């Protein structure tokens, strides 16, 4: 019997992860790709699929955003020579992570006098992150039906339009991707 996590010779479904020095960005991109994949032709899915796949879709987008913001903060701290004394990288709250990443990004742009920026100033993304943070502050609401005290995590929510959610959350994803693109074009 083959081990659960092993490759099989000549298996076209083998995922080659052994070559990766830093798997972090691959985790992040995997969460985002999986979320996007699950939303394709969502309107054509069976009702029971729509009612169950919404949870992993939202969670996967959330996981991508959280991990990528943490990576950005870490990278920007290094570029700026900052030592972080707070515990923000150990938290799951999206809004403080968003604010910290934007603050460090703006500081880096100003400090390094970066002129090639792929980001446009907008407050829409922060509003969306705020709404997400209010609904799922500690990354429980779309992973578990109830919290540690037994309370329903999505109490009062009757419907979630996956198209609406995706359209709005992709604004946040795009902004994050634009920050990454800007950083990729810097020499520091």
């Amino acid at each position: 019997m083959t081990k659960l996590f092993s490759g099989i010779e000549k298996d076209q479904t083998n995922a080659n992860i052994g070559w990766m020095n830093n798997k972090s960005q691959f985790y992040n991109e995997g969460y985002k790709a999986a979320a996007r994949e699950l939303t394709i032709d969502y309107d054509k899915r069976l009702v029971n699929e729509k009612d169950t796949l919404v949870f992993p879709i939202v969670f996967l987008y959330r996981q991508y955003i959280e991990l990528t913001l943490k990576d950005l903060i870490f990278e920007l701290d290094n570029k700026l020579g900052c030592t972080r004394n707070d515990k923000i990288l150990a938290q799951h709250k999206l809004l403080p992570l968003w604010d910290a990443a934007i603050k460090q990004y703006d500081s880096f742009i100003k400090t390094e006098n970066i002129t090639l920026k792929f980001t446009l100033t907008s407050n829409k993304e922060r509003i969306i992150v705020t709404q997400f943070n209010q609904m799922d502050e500690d990354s429980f609401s779309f992973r578990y039906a109830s919290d540690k005290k037994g309370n329903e995590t999505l109490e009062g929510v009757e419907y979630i339009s996956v198209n609406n959610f995706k359209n709005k959350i992709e604004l946040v994803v795009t902004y994050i991707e634009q920050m990454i693109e800007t950083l990729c074009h810097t020499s520091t």
Side-chain angles (χ1 to χ4, degrees):
M1 183 169 166
T2 316
K3 291 181 183 177
L4 181 60
F5 293 102
S6 66
I8 298 173
E9 193 175 329
K10 296 184 181 180
D11 182 349
Q12 295 298 310
T13 67
N14 281 337
N16 183 2
I17 63 171
W19 63 272
M20 299 173 188
N21 291 330
N22 179 355
K23 292 179 180 68
S24 182
Q25 71 184 25
F26 297 97
Y27 275 78
N28 302 358
E29 289 299 315
Y31 288 122
K32 179 179 67 176
R36 286 176 171 168
E37 190 69 27
L38 288 173
T39 62
I40 295 172
D41 292 327
Y42 199 78
D43 58 326
K44 294 180 177 81
R45 292 189 179 274
L46 300 173
V47 172
N48 65 328
E49 289 180 317
K50 290 179 189 178
D51 293 349
T52 57
L53 289 176
V54 66
F55 303 108
I57 288 168
V58 175
F59 173 74
L60 290 166
Y61 269 115
R62 190 196 192 290
Q63 193 71 354
Y64 164 77
I65 292 167
E66 178 183 334
L67 296 179
T68 306
L69 288 174
K70 286 178 177 181
D71 285 350
L72 278 168
I73 293 166
F74 184 79
E75 181 181 348
L76 287 163
D77 283 350
N78 286 337
K79 286 180 179 285
L80 290 166
C82 296
T83 303
R84 189 161 290 281
N85 296 320
D86 59 23
K87 303 283 188 216
I88 196 160
L89 296 177
Q91 297 177 4
H92 301 286
K93 294 171 177 39
L94 291 181
L95 188 58
L97 288 168
W98 177 263
D99 288 343
I102 296 298
K103 180 181 176 187
Q104 289 299 79
Y105 176 75
D106 289 344
S107 178
F108 179 74
I109 295 297
K110 185 177 180 183
T111 302
E112 298 297 319
N113 198 26
I114 305 297
T115 55
L116 180 62
K117 278 185 8 178
F118 293 89
T119 51
L120 302 173
T121 305
S122 172
N123 198 33
K124 285 186 284 188
E125 294 85 359
R126 189 176 191 281
I127 291 168
I128 294 164
V129 172
T130 300
Q131 291 174 4
F132 208 155
N133 196 71
Q134 289 168 342
M135 179 60 65
D136 191 17
E137 186 176 48
D138 289 309
S139 190
F140 274 88
S141 299
F142 293 89
R143 281 196 298 166
Y144 307 108
S146 56
D147 64 18
K148 292 177 182 178
K149 297 177 184 174
N151 301 315
E152 186 180 334
T153 54
L154 294 173
E155 191 171 347
V157 178
E158 297 293 324
Y159 296 96
I160 299 172
S161 166
V162 170
N163 285 341
N164 178 62
F165 173 80
K166 181 182 180 185
N167 290 337
K168 293 201 179 323
I169 209 65
E170 282 288 340
L171 294 173
V172 174
V173 169
T174 298
Y175 196 89
I176 290 170
E177 289 172 341
Q178 291 168 341
M179 287 195 298
I180 293 167
E181 185 71 19
T182 298
L183 295 176
C184 286
H185 285 85
T186 64
S187 57
T188 53

